[in-house]
Amino acid sequence: MIGLSAECQPSSVSAARRLLAEVSRVVVLTGAGVSEESGVPTFRGPGGLWRQFRPEDLATPEAFGRDPRLVWEWYNWRREKIAAVEPNPAHRALAELEARLKAGATAPVRPLTLVTQNVDDLHERAGSRAVLHLHGEIWRLRCTGCGREDYDRRVPLDPLPPVCACGSLLRPAVVWFGEALAPDTWDAAVGAAQACELVLVVGTSALVYPAASLPAIALQAGARLIEVNRDPTPLTPRADVSLQGKAGDLLPQLL
Ligand code: BV8
Ligand code: ZN
């Protein structure tokens, strides 16, 4: 494991570049840290969402059942923030990495699968194609009655909470604590992790499961691990290369 602090880590940036140059199948796992430099608040850490709110008060089905309007005010506020920002160099570097691996791909395998815990659409807006949203998407709404699910990008949503044509409440089509991930999305992510040669983990505290188990699944299958994160995480000791710093600075250096 080569992990030095941000300033004196040219060696580990070059080590990471060497690893990337050797592989043809990569899985990327991102968290809120990859969108932080765009201005989207993360969950933990300074200025994070969980500083002002408690996750169990907002990101659970019980919270929604108790006070759908409060939960919707939080998601409406986050939708407005996400709509007002742009992808940052970290998102763009990951889109560029996908394009390069695709250009060099010979076998029909997907050279890069981007698995994100984020519910924003900044990876797609930066040009990433193969994006798996483990925890859903903030721009999709699902009816709690008839189950209909669609994109609704109106900012702000009005009225709150929004109601379906069938009369039932609409909810954000995201995965809350205590809820299962979409089986097909999770299976696709696990399949990609088991088949990859390298897993690149960017901007996640690696605390929330089962998402945080993906890097271990890839390591178990013989993949190498590069971590790009501002702070150390439980994954850091297991990384072949750990780059500590801002994703928007470090990821472009990897290309
Ligand atoms: C499930 C979507 C079972 C919504 C999210 C005890 C009690 C209750 C539950 C549990 C428990 N123990 C375990 C659980 C399970 C629970 C869990 O893991 N809890 C944790 C807290 C212990 N998991 C679940 O409930 C999951 N479901 O288990 O279901 C089940 C099974 C079958 C059938 C029925 C049920 C569902 C979890 C999904 C929750 N939804 N989000 C929304 O967004 O509103 S979680 C949310 O937080 C994110 O999606 C992400 O997954 C998670 C962690 O956030 P991060 O993305 O990592 O962000 P964070 O702020 O934490 O960290 C940012 C990092 O970036 C930091 O390390 C920082 O240093 C770094 N950084 C910051 N800036 C930068 C940077 N790095 C680089 N550059 C920068 N500029
Ligand atoms: Zn409905």
Side-chain angles (χ1 to χ4, degrees):
M1 192 275 282
I2 314 162
L4 299 166
S5 63
E7 44 285 343
C8 62
Q9 58 183 331
S11 60
S12 42
V13 167
S14 51
R17 286 163 64 107
R18 269 197 307 279
L19 276 184
L20 265 176
E22 291 161 6
V23 296
S24 54
R25 286 196 311 284
V26 175
V27 161
V28 180
L29 174 68
T30 64
V34 80
S35 297
E36 189 263 340
E37 289 158 82
S38 295
V40 181
T42 62
F43 290 92
R44 296 160 184 83
L49 293 166
W50 299 146
R51 285 277 178 281
Q52 300 150 268
F53 310 101
R54 287 163 10 103
E56 49 280 6
D57 290 348
L58 288 166
T60 65
E62 295 73 24
F64 186 73
R66 201 174 38 240
D67 189 344
R69 184 184 170 83
L70 172 70
V71 173
W72 261 117
E73 278 171 1
W74 185 54
Y75 279 93
N76 204 40
W77 174 73
R78 288 174 65 194
R79 287 162 57 106
E80 286 184 354
K81 275 198 163 306
I82 293 163
V85 300
E86 295 298 323
N88 69 62
H91 297 107
R92 285 196 290 275
L94 292 173
E96 171 62 23
L97 177 62
E98 179 183 20
R100 287 193 191 178
L101 284 166
K102 256 186 197 158
T106 46
V109 294
R110 171 175 284 165
L112 185 144
T113 302
L114 200 160
V115 183
T116 187
Q117 300 169 81
N118 301 339
V119 294
D120 65 49
D121 59 348
L122 293 174
H123 283 306
E124 289 88 344
R125 287 170 54 194
S128 287
R129 293 275 164 276
V131 183
L132 289 175
H133 282 274
L134 287 185
H135 296 155
E137 298 176 68
I138 202 164
W139 296 116
R140 288 183 70 83
L141 309 188
R142 185 187 322 133
C143 178
T144 57
C146 69
R148 188 180 68 89
E149 184 170 321
D150 269 317
Y151 282 107
D152 182 334
R153 296 177 187 279
R154 283 176 298 149
V155 172
L157 275 173
D158 181 34
L160 287 183
V163 180
C164 179
C166 79
S168 299
L169 276 182
L170 290 170
R171 60 164 280 179
V174 300
V175 180
W176 281 325
F177 288 104
E179 292 187 318
L181 278 62
D184 49 347
T185 307
W186 177 244
D187 292 348
V190 170
Q194 287 170 331
C196 75
E197 299 164 282
L198 173 76
V199 53
L200 171 60
V201 182
V202 186
T204 181
S205 55
L207 295 173
V208 171
Y209 283 81
S213 61
L214 276 178
I217 291 170
L219 287 170
Q220 188 69 31
R224 312 295 287 278
L225 168 60
I226 298 175
E227 181 185 47
V228 175
N229 209 62
R230 193 189 58 199
D231 306 308
T233 74
L235 280 179
T236 307
R238 306 190 62 182
D240 292 275
V241 181
S242 162
L243 303 176
Q244 200 166 329
K246 296 170 76 170
D249 295 341
L250 290 166
L251 284 182
Q253 293 179 43
L254 295 192
L255 293 180

